[in-house]
């Protein structure tokens, strides 16, 4: 299929970027987020009773962290009455994983395009392998961990950040070492930790932080989500372009945005990912697709580049659709100079999805829809063509 000129232009804009993590900002400072607004993954919820349980749980934790409520019960009442407002994180240039939410005073990684300096995207600190907010649990353990992340761990990260860390080189190291930059990121995470240790005066001496780093192979993911989103954002606002600039799910719906219609979500009901459970629960406990990490696959990595990650493919390959390989080439736009050592194509367009008859395949964690068990396992979400077709139709009007 011949690439539409507007899609080529958008792709070129996205690829000429150098995303660098150079500081932390709170959401209040970064995007002027009001105190009573909480940000979640994916598109907006149409009504209070549509809020999925894991996101509601995380909102309750965030509300107590923020001091908006004295306990989780009061927080839930404030959310369901509209006193606390929920909005999509990507509409504020923030990306957040699974059921994690962002509140006004939370420190966020700030990623900017070092070549132009005009685009910034933000992400919360990854919760690692401890009781993380992204799992959608309403517990004191999650609240305690958020407080630790945003104080003690934050101090260590700030001490090692120095003049900033370019993220694409770390992603390349990860991909060459068997990561897919989404479901699997331990190689890139170790490269990141090595950078932080080298840049910290006197090295990192906090044993609890060192243990957390050593046991949290997903530490790179939030940064890479923001780096990916930063590049995609640079392609926004090109007339006639169907280049995908946003992708995510809230457990109820999944959606995308495209370059030529910035800020407009095109959605479809969120089916659960297909995968195996790590816990003894029935399959109907699986929540629909959730998380802003879908931006990684919309960019062409993650499950769209699963051949680079033998371990990830061994775990999830059985759940890939038969035409997964065809989608890798059919949806992608072109090569990126940074990834020249790897045989991959990046970017995606609504035009490509409609021509292919399907959207990208996305590797996602599977959460408990009842909000009690957290992560049930991992799987593949096969994104339908409907939101891409809707976006293309709207672009043609």
């Amino acid at each position: 299929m011949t690439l539409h000129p507007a899609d080529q232009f958008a792709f070129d804009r996205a690829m000429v970027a150098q995303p660098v993590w150079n500081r932390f900002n709170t959401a209040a400072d970064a995007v002027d987020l009001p105190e009573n607004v909480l940000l979640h993954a994916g598109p907006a919820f149409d009504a209070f009773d549509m809020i999925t349980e894991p996101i509601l749980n995380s909102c309750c934790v965030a509300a107590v962290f923020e001091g908006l409520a004295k306990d989780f019960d009061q927080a839930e009442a404030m959310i369901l009455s509209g006193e606390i407002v929920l909005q999509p994180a990507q509409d504020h240039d923030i990306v957040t994983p699974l059921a994690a939410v962002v509140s006004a005073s939370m420190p966020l990684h700030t990623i900017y395009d070092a070549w132009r300096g005009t685009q910034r995207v933000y992400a919360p600190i990854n919760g690692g392998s401890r009781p993380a907010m992204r799992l959608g649990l309403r517990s004191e353990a999650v609240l305690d961990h958020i407080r630790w992340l945003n104080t003690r761990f934050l101090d260590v990260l700030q001490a090692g950040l120095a003049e900033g860390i370019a993220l694409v080189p770390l992603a390349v190291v990860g991909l060459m070492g068997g990561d897919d930059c989404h479901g699997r990121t331990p190689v890139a995470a170790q490269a990141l930790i090595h950078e932080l240790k080298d840049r910290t005066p006197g090295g990192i001496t906090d044993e609890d932080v060192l243990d957390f780093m050593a046991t949290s192979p997903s530490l790179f993911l939030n940064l890479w989500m923001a780096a990916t989103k930063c590049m995609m954002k640079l392609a926004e606002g090109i007339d006639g372009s169907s280049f995908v600039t946003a992708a995510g799910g809230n457990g109820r719906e999944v959606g995308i945005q495209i370059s030529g219609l910035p800020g407009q979500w095109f959605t479809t009901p969120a089916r659960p990912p297909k995968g195996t459970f790590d816990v003894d629960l029935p399959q109907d406990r699986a929540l629909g697709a959730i998380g802003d990490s879908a931006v990684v696959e919309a960019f062409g990595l993650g499950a769209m580049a699963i051949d680079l990650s033998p371990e990830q493919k061994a775990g999830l390959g059985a759940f890939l659709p038969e035409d997964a390989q065809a989608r890798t080439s059919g949806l992608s736009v072109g090569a990126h100079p940074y990834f020249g050592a790897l045989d991959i194509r990046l970017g995606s367009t609504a035009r490509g999805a409609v021509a292919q008859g399907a959207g990208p395949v996305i590797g996602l964690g599977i959460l408990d829809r009842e909000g009690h068990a957290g992560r049930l396992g991992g799987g593949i979400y096969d994104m339908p063509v409907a939101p891409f077709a809707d976006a293309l139709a709207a672009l043609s009007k």
Side-chain angles (χ1 to χ4, degrees):
M1 186 178 94
T2 302
L3 193 63
H4 191 283
D7 291 340
Q8 182 68 61
F9 183 35
F11 173 78
D12 292 344
R13 285 273 300 272
M15 295 303 113
V16 183
Q18 180 66 276
V20 171
W21 167 38
N22 74 324
R23 65 172 187 254
F24 285 94
N25 288 95
T26 65
D29 289 340
V31 298
D32 200 25
L33 191 71
E35 185 182 60
N36 71 323
V37 176
L38 302 177
L39 305 179
H40 62 82
F45 293 106
D46 292 333
F48 296 130
D49 62 358
M50 300 293 283
I51 301 171
T52 45
E53 203 65 33
I55 285 182
L56 179 61
N57 285 346
S58 294
C59 285
C60 290
V61 172
V64 175
F65 169 82
E66 199 63 36
L68 299 173
K70 67 179 186 297
D71 57 35
F72 300 144
D73 290 340
Q74 183 186 20
E76 179 174 352
M78 294 173 72
I79 292 163
L80 298 180
S81 70
E83 190 174 347
I84 293 175
V85 178
L86 274 59
Q87 295 178 359
Q90 288 190 64
D91 289 353
H92 295 266
D93 295 343
I94 295 171
V95 284
T96 190
L98 292 176
V101 301
V102 170
S103 63
S105 70
M106 281 187 187
L108 304 176
H109 297 286
T110 298
I111 286 77
Y112 81 111
D113 172 22
W115 285 357
R116 296 183 187 85
T118 57
Q119 183 62 60
R120 285 174 171 77
V121 172
Y122 311 89
I125 300 170
N126 190 283
S129 299
R130 294 185 182 178
M133 184 187 274
R134 69 178 184 275
L135 303 180
L137 298 172
R138 189 182 311 195
S139 76
E140 292 293 333
V142 176
L143 179 60
D144 289 345
H145 185 47
I146 285 292
R147 288 170 171 158
W148 181 86
L149 279 176
N150 293 328
T151 52
R152 187 167 167 181
F153 189 51
L154 170 70
D155 290 344
V156 173
L157 293 178
Q158 286 184 313
L161 186 52
E163 73 280 5
I165 297 176
L167 298 173
V168 170
L170 298 182
V172 172
V173 168
L175 292 167
M176 294 185 72
D179 287 353
D180 69 354
C181 279
H182 183 183
R184 181 172 171 77
T185 60
V187 178
Q190 282 303 310
L192 172 67
I193 291 166
H194 180 75
E195 286 275 348
L196 290 167
K197 287 179 177 178
D198 276 358
R199 292 160 180 256
T200 301
I204 298 173
T205 58
D206 187 318
E207 291 298 328
D208 193 24
V209 167
L210 289 170
D211 176 72
F212 176 68
M213 286 177 160
T215 56
S216 298
S218 64
L219 284 180
F220 181 68
L221 177 57
N222 291 21
L223 284 163
W224 184 244
M225 287 166 55
T228 298
K229 179 67 179 180
C230 182
M231 290 185 274
M232 293 162 78
K233 281 284 297 182
L234 289 165
E236 272 191 352
I238 295 172
D239 188 40
S241 175
S242 74
F243 187 83
V244 177
T245 55
N250 60 28
R252 185 81 59 184
E253 290 185 310
V254 295
I256 63 160
Q257 295 183 26
I258 60 173
S259 169
L261 299 168
Q264 186 173 345
W265 284 96
F266 298 91
T267 65
T268 192
R271 299 187 306 271
K274 292 181 179 180
T276 55
F277 284 9
D278 302 325
V279 296
D280 186 19
L281 285 173
Q283 291 290 313
D284 65 3
R285 285 287 289 272
L287 180 71
I290 186 171
D292 286 334
S293 57
V295 297
V296 177
E297 272 82 358
F299 187 72
L301 297 178
M304 292 293 284
I306 201 167
D307 286 343
L308 295 176
S309 181
E311 188 166 334
Q312 193 73 350
K313 191 169 185 178
L316 296 179
F319 304 104
L320 291 168
E322 290 183 1
D323 65 344
Q325 191 65 45
R327 293 192 213 182
T328 300
S329 57
L331 271 66
S332 62
V333 180
H336 188 300
Y338 293 145
F339 299 95
L342 302 157
D343 185 22
I344 53 174
R345 290 168 59 85
L346 299 175
S348 61
T349 67
R351 287 187 177 93
V354 170
Q356 192 70 35
V361 290
I362 303 170
L364 289 174
I366 305 172
L367 297 187
D368 177 16
R369 65 179 177 83
E370 295 184 9
H372 300 311
R375 189 181 189 275
L376 304 182
I380 293 289
Y381 176 68
D382 185 355
M383 193 162 187
V385 74
F388 301 92
D390 291 345
L392 195 56
L395 191 65
S396 302
K397 289 181 179 178

